[in-house]
């Protein structure tokens, strides 16, 4: 007699990830729900992942099946579609080879599906941050936690448009008959296929259930390894694919005929997609930034203008400045968005109103978007202004000529007193913040900025501790009218820096070594 079909098929996709695939499959086999199978789809790996998948299938007959594609598809869409075709379960889930399922994921999601009759059940995904070199956990953060505070059931997407923020396909359990009935498949020719697939699923579903239980562990390697396809935001092709997918979603929503859903999706684009890119915009080189502005300027007019009024003012400002092709102002907005409130613009005061910059103020819309009077930057204590020391140049040591580091700090509304300012660079050990040493700087403030210079004499400086203190953060301290301004030292994108500071560890007095500057 043929075995009964499983309750849930988990489609596990893999490409060149042989080392982590067994853990992903183990998280399927260890589910507290007995009726679960894994279909592993290898996307033509070259590292033996296909052999690992076959070995797992041989070790767990009836519970693991392996499918090896003859040619690499270049994305996640085709492997997932192939996996669905091979699924035998009444419900389907998706798992990436570098992630894992919570032990009770299938049980909790299947129970919710059967209790509510939902076509799709979505649970809590948690991003687990791992050391890229050691694999040790460094912390975790829930994905869109505000959506998963309690159990909820929605008849349609219109009942909860905010679902459009959760574009993941992997923290969800789908009724397989629902996928077949609506021919729901992933795009195979574009990245960010999850965004379009999720929007299509939400629109087609006649009942959507959310549960607060943890179901998916999204492992994120920090400081090691190549980024995933969707995280390669420094490539313009990445931007093009995201915008192409958004245009597909726009067409889908237009055909659906609910303008409120289109507005909700545009709010999501500004709050999430644009924010991702703008938080890193200042880290990119000039060629990338120019291409990025051109791509975004071709898409932003398609957004509902009402969406901009429902997002953070600096995201609204970013959209306006992209359209105006103002790279200089966008760099300062990027630092504000990605630097947790950092101020990199000198600001402008006109008719009692404070504006982020002194351009684009010739139209009512420009003045409205750039008005930051409500932030109180003209009255806030100077020490809380979150300024940064941007490196503008340096000189390597040459003979008797000492090494030199030069930079600038913006002077917002001229609030830093003009003239010469006492100051120093503070080097702080990452191993122990109590271990520091300083280098004096010459600094002079004018109406819009403070220029500073630090010289590093050739005589070695003695560090507090020896070999343990190998990494040091650098901050600029300025004494400005009785206020100690503390500014992180930042290196602009594309700036090459070759600077060495001679030092002598305290516990190795006869050994001279160097601290070499680098941009993180």
């Amino acid at each position: 007699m043929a075995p009964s079909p499983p309750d849930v098929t988990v489609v596990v996709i893999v490409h060149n990830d042989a080392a982590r695939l067994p853990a992903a499959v183990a998280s399927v086999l260890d589910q507290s729900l007995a009726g679960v199978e894994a279909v592993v789809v290898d996307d033509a790996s070259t590292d033996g992942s296909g052999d690992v998948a076959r070995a797992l299938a041989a070790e767990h007959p009836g519970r693991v099946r392996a499918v090896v594609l003859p040619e690499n598809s270049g994305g996640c869409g085709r492997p997932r579609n192939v996996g669905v075709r091979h699924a035998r379960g009444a419900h389907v889930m998706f798992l990436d080879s570098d992630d894992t399922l919570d032990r009770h994921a299938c049980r909790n999601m299947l129970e919710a599906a059967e209790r509510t009759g939902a076509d799709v059940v979505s649970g809590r995904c948690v991003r687990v941050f791992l050391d890229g070199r050691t694999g040790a956990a460094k912390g975790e953060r829930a994905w869109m936690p505000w959506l998963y505070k309690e159990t909820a059931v929605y008849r349609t997407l219109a009942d909860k448009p905010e679902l459009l923020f959760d574009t993941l396909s992997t923290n969800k359990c789908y009724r397989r008959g629902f996928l077949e009935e609506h021919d729901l498949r992933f795009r195979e020719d574009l990245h960010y296929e999850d965004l379009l697939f999720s929007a299509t699923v939400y629109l087609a579903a006649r009942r959507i259930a959310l549960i607060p239980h943890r179901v998916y562990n999204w492992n994120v390697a920090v400081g090691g390894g190549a980024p995933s396809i969707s995280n390669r935001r420094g490539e313009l092709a990445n931007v093009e694919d995201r915008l192409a997918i958004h245009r597909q979603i726009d067409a889908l929503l237009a055909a659906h005929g609910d303008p409120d859903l289109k507005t909700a999706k545009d709010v999501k684009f500004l709050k999430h997609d644009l924010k991702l890119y703008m938080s890193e915009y200042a880290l990119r080189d000039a060629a990338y930034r120019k291409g990025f502005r051109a791509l975004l300027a071709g898409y932003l007019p398609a957004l509902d203008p009402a969406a901009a009024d429902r997002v953070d003012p600096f995201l609204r400002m970013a959209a306006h400045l992209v359209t105006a092709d103002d790279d200089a102002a966008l760099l300062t907005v990027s630092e504000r968005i990605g630097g947790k409130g950092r101020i990199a613009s000198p600001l402008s005061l006109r008719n009692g109103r404070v504006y982020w910059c002194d351009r684009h103020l010739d139209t009512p819309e420009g003045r409205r978007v750039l008005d930051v009077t409500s932030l109180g930057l003209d009255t806030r204590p100077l020490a809380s202004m979150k300024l940064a020391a941007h490196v503008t140049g340096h000189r390597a040591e040459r003979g008797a000529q000492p090494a030199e580091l030069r930079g600038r700090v913006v002077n917002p509304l001229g609030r830093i007193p003009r003239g010469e300012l006492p100051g120093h660079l503070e080097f702080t050990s990452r191993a122990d913040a109590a271990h520091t040493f300083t280098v004096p700087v010459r600094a002079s403030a004018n109406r819009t900025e403070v220029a500073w210079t630090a010289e590093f004499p050739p005589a070695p400086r003695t560090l507090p501790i020896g070999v343990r203190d190998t990494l040091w953060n650098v901050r600029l301290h300025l004494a400005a009218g009785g206020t100690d301004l503390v500014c992180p030292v930042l290196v602009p994108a594309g700036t090459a820096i070759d600077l060495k500071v001679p030092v002598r560890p305290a516990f190795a007095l006869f050994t001279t070594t160097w601290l070499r500057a680098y941009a993180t």
Side-chain angles (χ1 to χ4, degrees), residues 391-407 442 452-458 495-502 514-517:
V391 171
T392 58
H394 74 284
R395 180 184 66 208
E397 181 181 329
R398 296 188 186 94
Q401 192 177 48
E404 181 180 277
L405 190 65
R406 302 181 298 277
R442 302 188 306 275
W452 57 270
T453 302
E455 287 189 351
F456 301 90
T495 302
I497 185 165
D498 181 18
L499 183 68
K500 295 194 299 183
V501 180
W514 301 87
L515 288 180
R516 182 180 292 276

Side-chain angles (χ1 to χ4, degrees), residues 2 26 28-29 33 49 62 101 109 111-112 233 248 346 366 471 516:
V28 178
L29 299 177
L33 179 70
S49 293
L101 295 180
M109 300 184 94
E111 188 278 333
R233 290 186 292 272
Q248 293 282 323
L471 294 175
R516 182 180 292 276

Side-chain angles (χ1 to χ4, degrees), residues 58 67 211 242 363 429 466 490:
V67 180
I211 60 174
R242 189 185 288 263
T363 66
S429 168
L490 306 178

Side-chain angles (χ1 to χ4, degrees), residues 88-313:
R88 297 187 299 117
H91 292 79
V92 176
M93 294 178 63
F94 300 105
L95 173 63
D96 293 345
S97 61
D98 53 347
D99 301 329
T100 60
L101 295 180
D102 180 82
R103 173 167 164 72
H104 304 293
C106 294
R107 177 182 294 278
N108 287 328
M109 300 184 94
L110 180 64
E111 188 278 333
E114 293 178 339
R115 174 172 47 84
T116 65
D119 290 325
V120 57
V121 178
S122 190
R124 188 160 56 93
C125 170
V126 176
R127 302 183 76 192
V128 182
F129 299 96
L130 306 174
D131 187 295
R133 293 176 295 274
T134 67
K138 297 169 65 72
E140 59 184 42
R141 184 168 65 243
W143 171 261
M144 306 292 174
W146 48 275
L147 276 174
Y148 296 97
K149 291 182 178 179
E150 58 188 10
T151 299
V153 181
Y154 304 104
R155 293 173 301 168
T156 67
L157 177 61
D159 290 341
K160 188 68 172 178
E162 293 84 359
L163 289 171
L164 290 167
F165 275 83
D166 185 3
T167 56
L168 300 181
S169 64
T170 49
N171 62 334
K172 298 172 177 62
C173 180
Y174 311 87
R175 186 169 59 82
R176 185 158 63 92
F178 162 70
L179 296 179
E180 301 296 345
E181 176 188 352
H182 296 277
D183 193 26
L184 295 169
R185 295 293 185 269
F186 292 89
R187 282 289 296 262
E188 298 185 3
D189 57 339
L190 292 170
H191 299 309
Y192 295 107
E193 67 289 329
D194 269 16
L195 278 67
L196 180 58
F197 180 80
S198 296
T200 308
V201 164
Y202 287 142
L203 288 171
R206 285 298 165 261
R207 190 162 294 180
I208 305 164
L210 270 59
I211 60 174
H213 306 292
R214 180 175 184 152
V215 300
Y216 196 88
N217 301 308
W218 177 1
N219 295 323
V220 181
V222 179
S228 65
I229 293 171
S230 60
N231 282 328
R232 296 171 190 167
R233 290 186 292 272
E235 301 173 6
L236 289 176
N238 177 285
V239 185
E240 291 179 298
D241 275 5
R242 189 185 288 263
L243 295 181
I245 286 291
H246 272 282
R247 289 187 173 96
Q248 293 282 323
I249 297 173
D250 291 343
L252 187 68
L253 293 172
H256 187 74
D258 187 339
D260 290 339
L261 288 179
K262 171 63 165 59
T263 304
K265 175 261 165 192
D266 291 345
V267 169
K268 181 264 175 185
F269 178 84
L270 294 171
K271 280 188 172 182
H272 180 72
D273 301 71
L274 180 63
K275 184 177 181 179
L276 282 175
Y277 289 102
M278 285 310 306
S279 65
E280 301 172 353
Y281 182 84
L283 307 178
R284 309 302 181 197
D285 61 30
Y288 170 91
R289 299 197 307 267
K290 181 178 180 180
F292 174 82
R293 295 194 304 274
L295 290 171
L296 265 289
Y299 178 70
L300 289 174
L303 302 187
D304 181 355
D309 293 326
R310 292 166 53 182
V311 303
D312 178 271

Side-chain angles (χ1 to χ4, degrees), residues 421-440:
L421 302 175
H424 62 269
L425 290 181
E426 179 187 59
F427 291 73
T428 304
S429 168
R430 288 191 181 181
D432 187 340
H435 300 161
T436 65
F437 71 93
T438 63
V439 174

